[in-house]
Amino acid sequence: MVVFSSLRPAARGINAVIPALRHSLETTTLKQTGPVVMSIRGAAGRRMILRPGIYLDRKWRDSVHFFLLLGTLPVLMAITFANLFMAQGELTDLPEDHNPQTWEFHQHPITRFIAKHIVRSPEKLYETQMAALYKQDQKRKLRLLERQVKRVMLDRQDVRGWYFFQAATDARQISADNIGEQIGTPS
């Protein structure tokens, strides 16, 4: 209520200024001198005077005003509700069997809500970073293994290059017996 009572005098001042602004806009941009004549090829210098329309300008201002109020009013109401009716968090002793969550350590209720529902927890961020590093390490190991296979094939020159196919990314080792069984040669 205090906010609205302090905005009332400001609104009276703005309402006093708006008609003067509207009158100055109408006199400067809406007045048109003389008839509008379209230019015709070979019309000896006659041309149509183009003036900017006010419809799109007003439409843009109305849209900005609408979406500004559509976004700010609910946010301001939620902030006011949280500050007036929800308690600030306090540090207290925890029971032995309670495992605290990371979002419980924030003091303000809005910060707790953001930490709980919007931002990822530090544990999840750590795990995703470690998974990405693990994948990069596996790719590096496979590249090293492929380089070693190509080097050995060039050094020994007993295996043709077209026998090497890049298999699945999990580097499984197949024994020599299994390779003989797959080709169909007796071991």
Side-chain angles (χ1 to χ4, degrees):
M1 296 306 284
V2 174
V3 173
F4 293 116
S5 62
S6 64
L7 289 177
R8 191 174 295 131
R12 282 191 211 124
I14 290 173
N15 286 335
V17 173
I18 287 177
L21 289 175
R22 188 176 295 140
H23 178 69
S24 66
L25 282 174
E26 290 173 358
T27 57
T28 57
T29 59
L30 295 180
K31 296 273 181 160
Q32 192 169 14
T33 58
V36 175
V37 180
M38 293 188 63
S39 64
I40 302 172
R41 187 177 297 163
R46 294 186 302 176
R47 60 179 183 228
M48 180 173 72
I49 300 169
L50 298 175
R51 303 228 183 239
I54 200 165
Y55 172 74
L56 292 177
D57 187 36
R58 285 188 180 172
K59 178 94 172 152
W60 181 80
R61 274 191 267 142
D62 287 343
S63 297
V64 167
H65 183 251
F66 174 71
F67 287 113
L68 190 68
L69 288 180
L70 187 70
T72 56
L73 283 180
V75 169
L76 289 176
M77 289 173 54
I79 290 172
T80 305
F81 177 77
N83 286 331
L84 291 179
F85 298 113
M86 298 179 85
Q88 296 280 331
E90 295 179 1
L91 289 176
T92 58
D93 292 333
L94 294 175
E96 294 281 335
D97 58 344
H98 180 68
N99 187 14
Q101 301 293 326
T102 56
W103 53 269
E104 293 177 353
F105 292 105
H106 296 284
Q107 184 178 8
H108 199 269
I110 295 175
T111 311
R112 280 195 303 259
F113 177 81
I114 291 172
K116 182 178 180 182
H117 297 290
I118 297 173
V119 179
R120 285 189 185 179
S121 67
E123 292 87 7
K124 285 184 182 179
L125 288 175
Y126 177 77
E127 289 296 328
T128 54
Q129 288 174 353
M130 290 298 110
L133 288 175
Y134 178 75
K135 285 181 183 178
Q136 287 179 357
D137 188 50
Q138 290 298 317
K139 287 179 185 178
R140 181 188 61 83
K141 287 179 182 178
L142 284 173
R143 276 189 243 113
L144 286 174
L145 182 63
E146 183 179 353
R147 207 177 300 145
Q148 183 181 2
V149 166
K150 286 182 179 180
R151 183 179 50 81
V152 169
M153 284 171 38
L154 285 174
D155 287 346
R156 296 183 186 169
Q157 293 192 3
D158 58 350
V159 179
R160 300 280 185 199
W162 56 80
Y163 287 135
F164 171 70
F165 297 107
Q166 186 174 1
T169 56
D170 56 355
R172 295 183 184 155
Q173 298 288 330
I174 300 175
S175 65
D177 296 336
N178 290 341
I179 291 175
E181 291 172 5
Q182 287 178 359
I183 297 174
T185 58
S187 51

